[in-house]
Amino acid sequence: IVVIRGGGARNELATFDAEEIAVAIATSSVAVFTGLGHEVDRSVADEVAHTAWKTPTACAASLVDAVREYLSRSETAWRAIVAISERRIVGTTTDLSDRAHRIARRTHAAVERADERLNTRVDRLRNQAPAALLAADSKISLAGQRLVARPVPQLDAEAHRLDALEARVAAVDPAHLLARGWSITRRSDGRIVRSRADVQPGTLLETQLVDGRVTSRVEDAAATSHEPGTLS
């Protein structure tokens, strides 16, 4: 805020000695410059102002200088910001480039080590493969010899076992039992009669003999005192 006056009589400065004006200037939230046009006399307003100038021209010159100084500081600050930003960008770019080169070198080294390990394993496999094949051939030959030598005794043993099984099966063959005088009696539903409880008077029976079949009907199925049961 600028309070200026273009000159005049001394008594006209009394206005700027008023308490209200002095309080307003002293409590202003922004700076107040005065230029009341008297180089010798000072008013109360001059005393409480931020800066008191003798003339309005001097006050205006101070404002121009303040603006010029502000612009100069702004330009200086801007150039400093630009310089710092450029240095940081250059430094960051350099760091990124260095890291990229380190990563590339480490990657190449890792790939080279992997290639070396792979080549070593390939050479090892090449050296071990013939020995492994020879060992496998030896095992196959030995197994073939065992297979050639084993079948004859094994087949003889199996033949004896089959003969024994055949004899056991023949011993329980119903045809042999029928030839020895036994018979097999079945009901009309094909169920073998094993007990008198399996039949009752009127039941049709079919008895198989060695040389044919006989059909009969049950008349009585009572038990005797000497035998568990008889059919007639």
Side-chain angles (χ1 to χ4, degrees):
I1 297 176
V2 177
V3 180
I4 58 177
R5 169 179 170 275
R10 171 70 184 80
N11 58 359
E12 294 177 356
L13 293 177
T15 302
F16 301 100
D17 294 333
E19 180 182 359
E20 294 84 358
I21 294 178
V23 171
I25 293 174
T27 59
S28 174
S29 59
V30 297
V32 178
F33 289 0
T34 58
L36 303 181
H38 280 266
E39 296 183 2
V40 178
D41 300 320
R42 289 177 64 86
S43 65
V44 176
D46 291 328
E47 298 296 335
V48 298
H50 177 279
T51 304
W53 301 96
K54 296 299 181 179
T55 62
T57 301
C59 183
S62 68
L63 292 177
V64 172
D65 292 339
V67 172
R68 185 180 294 110
E69 183 182 359
Y70 171 78
L71 292 177
S72 177
R73 289 199 308 269
S74 299
E75 291 295 332
T76 302
W78 172 253
R79 286 192 296 271
I81 292 173
V82 171
I84 293 173
S85 300
E86 289 178 349
R87 286 196 301 271
R88 291 186 178 180
I89 291 174
V90 171
T92 303
T93 303
T94 303
D95 292 340
L96 289 176
S97 179
D98 293 340
R99 293 185 182 183
H101 288 306
R102 287 198 299 271
I103 292 173
R105 288 194 298 271
R106 292 178 181 177
T107 302
H108 292 160
V111 172
E112 290 177 356
R113 288 194 298 270
D115 288 339
E116 292 176 358
R117 291 195 298 268
L118 183 60
N119 293 330
T120 301
R121 293 180 181 179
V122 170
D123 294 338
R124 189 183 304 162
L125 288 175
R126 288 176 179 173
N127 295 330
Q128 294 176 353
L133 290 176
L134 290 176
D137 288 339
S138 299
K139 291 181 179 179
I140 292 175
S141 299
L142 182 58
Q145 294 174 3
R146 291 177 180 175
L147 289 175
V148 171
R150 182 176 296 178
V152 175
Q154 189 169 359
L155 289 175
D156 291 340
E158 293 296 327
H160 290 302
R161 191 170 69 86
L162 289 176
D163 291 339
L165 290 175
E166 183 178 3
R168 293 173 60 184
V169 170
V172 295
D173 188 357
H176 292 281
L177 297 177
L178 293 175
R180 293 169 57 187
W182 295 90
S183 63
I184 302 174
T185 301
R186 292 182 175 87
R187 297 189 314 190
S188 59
D189 58 2
R191 182 176 177 181
I192 296 177
V193 178
R194 293 182 174 84
S195 170
R196 63 185 179 84
D198 294 335
V199 298
Q200 56 185 330
T203 301
L204 289 176
L205 301 176
E206 185 180 83
T207 302
Q208 183 177 354
L209 305 173
V210 68
D211 56 352
R213 290 180 174 84
V214 176
T215 301
S216 60
R217 185 186 301 275
V218 176
E219 294 182 358
D220 185 16
T224 65
S225 59
H226 302 290
E227 296 179 353
T230 60
L231 300 178
S232 59

